[in-house]
């Protein structure tokens, strides 16, 4: 029985690895070879930490080398490609490559602590990402992307840069020529600033309509690729296709991500939203689409930006729906999916676009054992 479990875990790791190839490849295209270097550094740090700890202390058998490497790859999807900086030049800050390796080592340490405490419902990956964002928020700010002509082989830290205005920018895929690196404001950060009414003092009043038409990049850049983000978040389509592979291989039950994403979308439609931010204050409305100053088209575009600028797709398919995180029972899984969707929508619209889905899964997975206990377990179709 033990051998079967280990083999099954390795099979799950292999399928997760295959599913992650699409978002990782999309990140490498728009962020260049430094994205590949960052991934290798994170995996090296995690694998090295596991090897060292396994020789110094009693290492839990269930935390295999393949499991550590796969979780490290998933962790690398949430970090910027700029962490692969081996140069120590005066124009740059301290080289960040040790941070990438330390991130992988931190993941392994948290995995070990959770295993020793027997707290299987705590996700080491989620805890690691949240801690890093809280302790080092500036390190997760990225405003660079490669143009199509420099895709994959370009250097995202190249000094040859040009500013790319969001108000007049054409979709990334239509850029024909330009410098080696494009600098553009992050849509995630802009949305967070808008939600919390953090606007520049010299900026005039901002409406929701102006936000989605002038202050955010083309929506295609978030759907296909071409916007500066963490490695695994560069393309929503790549994350979706990788998740659908897990559904096809029957690791993720199809009904779970559908319920999660559908519920989160409904909550974002209804949640209180600033529709005007000015010097005299902020006007907020529930269900902003019914306000004549917004309309259904602007509201729909705003909801799409929130979903695509956040890591909702990646978290939903690769973390929230993963065996060991979600409940085992059918009815428990449905309740869990609805709970995650509600939490995800609320936290994105009120707390943080960047961290909302991660906080949501951290809370929802704590409820999963209770749901399994109170709802009779039935096998999830495709689970």
């Amino acid at each position: 029985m033990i051998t079967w479990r280990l083999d099954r875990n390795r099979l799950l790791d292999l399928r997760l690895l295959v599913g992650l190839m699409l978002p990782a490849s999309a990140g490498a295209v728009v962020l260049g070879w430094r994205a590949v270097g960052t991934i290798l550094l994170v995996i090296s740090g995690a694998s090295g930490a596991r090897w060292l700890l396994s020789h110094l202390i009693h290492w839990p058998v269930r935390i295999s080398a393949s499991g550590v490497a796969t979780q490290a790859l998933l962790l690398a999807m949430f970090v910027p490609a700029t962490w692969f900086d081996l140069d120590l030049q005066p124009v740059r800050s301290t080289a960040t490559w040790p941070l990438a390796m330390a991130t992988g080592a931190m993941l392994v340490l948290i995995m070990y602590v959770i295993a020793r405490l027997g707290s299987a419902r705590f996700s080491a990956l989620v805890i690691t990402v949240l801690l890093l964002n809280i302790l080092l928020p500036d390190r997760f700010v990225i405003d660079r992307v490669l143009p199509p002509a420099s895709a994959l082989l370009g250097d995202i830290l190249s000094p040859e840069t040009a500013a790319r205005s969001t108000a007049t920018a054409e979709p990334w895929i239509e850029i024909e020529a330009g410098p080696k690196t494009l600098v553009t404001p992050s849509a995630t950060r802009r949305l967070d600033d808008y939600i919390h009414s953090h606007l520049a003092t010299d900026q005039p009043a901002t409406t929701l309509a102006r936000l989605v038409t002038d202050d955010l990049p083309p929506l295609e850049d978030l759907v296909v690729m071409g916007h500066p983000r963490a490695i695994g978040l560069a393309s929503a389509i790549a994350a979706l296709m990788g998740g659908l592979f897990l559904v096809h291989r029957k690791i993720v039950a199809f009904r779970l991500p559908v319920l999660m994403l559908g519920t989160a979308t409904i909550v974002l439609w209804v949640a209180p939203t600033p529709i005007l931010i000015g010097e005299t204050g902020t006007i907020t409305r529930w269900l902003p689409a019914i306000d004549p100053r917004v309309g259904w088209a602007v509201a729909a575009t705003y909801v799409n930006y929130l979903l695509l600028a956040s890591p909702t797709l990646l978290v939903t398919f690769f973390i929230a729906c993963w065996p060991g995180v979600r409940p085992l029972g059918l009815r428990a899984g449905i309740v869990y999916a609805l709970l995650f969707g509600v939490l995800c929508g609320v936290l994105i619209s009120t707390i943080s676009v960047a961290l909302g889905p991660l906080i949501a899964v951290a809370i929802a997975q704590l409820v999963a054992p209770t749901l399994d206990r109170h709802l009779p377990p039935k096998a999830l179709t495709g689970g």
Side-chain angles (χ1 to χ4, degrees):
M1 182 62 70
I2 295 178
T3 303
W4 178 85
R5 286 180 179 175
L6 291 176
D7 290 343
R8 181 175 182 272
N9 288 337
R10 292 193 184 97
L11 181 61
L12 288 175
D13 293 335
L14 177 60
R15 289 176 176 174
L16 177 61
L17 176 65
V18 175
L20 286 172
M21 286 297 99
L22 281 171
S25 300
V29 169
V30 297
L31 301 174
W33 54 269
R34 289 187 186 271
V36 179
T38 300
I39 293 174
L40 295 178
L41 285 176
V42 174
I43 295 176
S44 299
S47 300
R50 182 195 177 277
W51 179 87
L52 181 62
L53 290 176
S54 63
H55 285 73
L56 297 177
I57 57 179
H58 178 67
W59 187 258
V61 177
R62 62 179 178 272
I63 305 180
S64 63
S66 62
V68 167
T70 307
Q71 288 297 303
L73 173 60
L74 181 55
L75 173 62
M77 298 297 98
F78 292 91
V79 303
T82 51
W83 283 12
F84 187 72
D85 186 0
L86 305 179
D87 300 322
L88 295 174
Q89 299 180 9
V91 296
R92 296 180 186 165
S93 58
T94 306
T96 52
W97 66 267
L99 178 59
M101 297 195 69
T103 297
M106 181 179 177
L107 171 68
V108 173
L109 288 174
I110 296 176
M111 292 175 70
Y112 173 76
V113 171
I114 291 175
R116 296 297 295 175
L117 294 176
S119 303
R121 286 302 179 179
F122 289 94
S123 171
L125 187 144
V126 172
I127 294 174
T128 303
V129 177
L130 290 177
L131 282 177
L132 287 171
N133 276 273
I134 293 172
L135 298 175
L136 303 169
D138 294 338
R139 293 293 187 180
F140 284 84
V141 176
I142 178 172
D143 58 358
R144 290 166 170 249
V145 68
L146 296 174
S150 302
L152 190 59
L153 300 179
D155 183 5
I156 197 174
L157 292 178
S158 171
E160 299 182 23
T161 63
R164 184 173 180 229
S165 172
T166 56
T168 59
E170 70 277 22
W172 176 86
I173 201 169
E174 297 180 6
I175 299 176
E176 297 181 356
K180 294 184 177 180
T181 307
L182 300 173
V183 178
T184 185
S186 168
T188 305
R189 195 167 187 179
R190 185 68 184 87
L191 285 166
D192 272 327
D193 290 341
Y194 179 81
I195 289 172
H196 298 289
S197 303
H198 294 161
L199 300 179
T201 56
D202 59 343
Q203 187 172 351
T206 298
T207 63
L208 191 62
R210 175 184 172 182
L211 174 74
V212 300
T213 56
D214 295 337
D215 297 341
L216 293 174
L219 195 59
E220 296 93 323
D221 290 357
L222 301 177
V223 176
V224 184
M225 63 179 67
H227 190 67
R229 305 188 67 190
I231 296 172
L233 307 177
S235 171
I237 285 183
L240 178 62
M241 294 301 294
L244 291 178
F245 168 81
L246 299 181
V247 173
H248 173 68
R249 300 307 302 172
K250 301 185 183 303
I251 298 175
V252 172
F254 183 72
R255 63 172 59 86
L256 293 185
V258 170
L259 286 174
M260 291 176 178
L261 295 175
T263 305
T265 302
I266 293 173
V267 171
L268 290 175
W269 271 94
V270 178
T273 302
I275 64 171
L276 188 147
I277 302 175
E279 296 180 355
T280 58
T282 301
I283 299 177
T284 303
R285 292 285 185 271
W286 290 82
L287 191 58
I290 63 176
D291 192 291
R293 290 167 291 187
V294 178
W296 292 95
V298 171
T301 305
Y302 177 71
V303 170
N304 287 332
Y305 270 112
L306 289 178
L307 287 173
L308 297 176
S310 67
T312 301
L313 289 174
L314 198 66
V315 171
T316 297
F317 283 103
F318 293 92
I319 301 179
C321 292
W322 199 248
V325 176
R326 61 169 170 82
L328 299 177
L330 172 60
R331 291 184 296 173
I334 292 175
V335 175
Y336 165 81
L338 295 174
L339 174 63
F340 170 79
V342 171
L343 289 172
C344 188
V346 170
L347 292 171
I348 287 175
S349 60
T350 60
I351 303 299
S352 172
V353 176
L355 301 180
L358 289 164
I359 301 174
V361 74
I363 298 173
Q365 69 179 353
L366 296 179
V367 185
T370 303
L371 294 175
D372 266 335
R373 191 162 53 247
H374 291 283
L375 296 174
K378 294 180 181 180
L380 282 168
T381 303

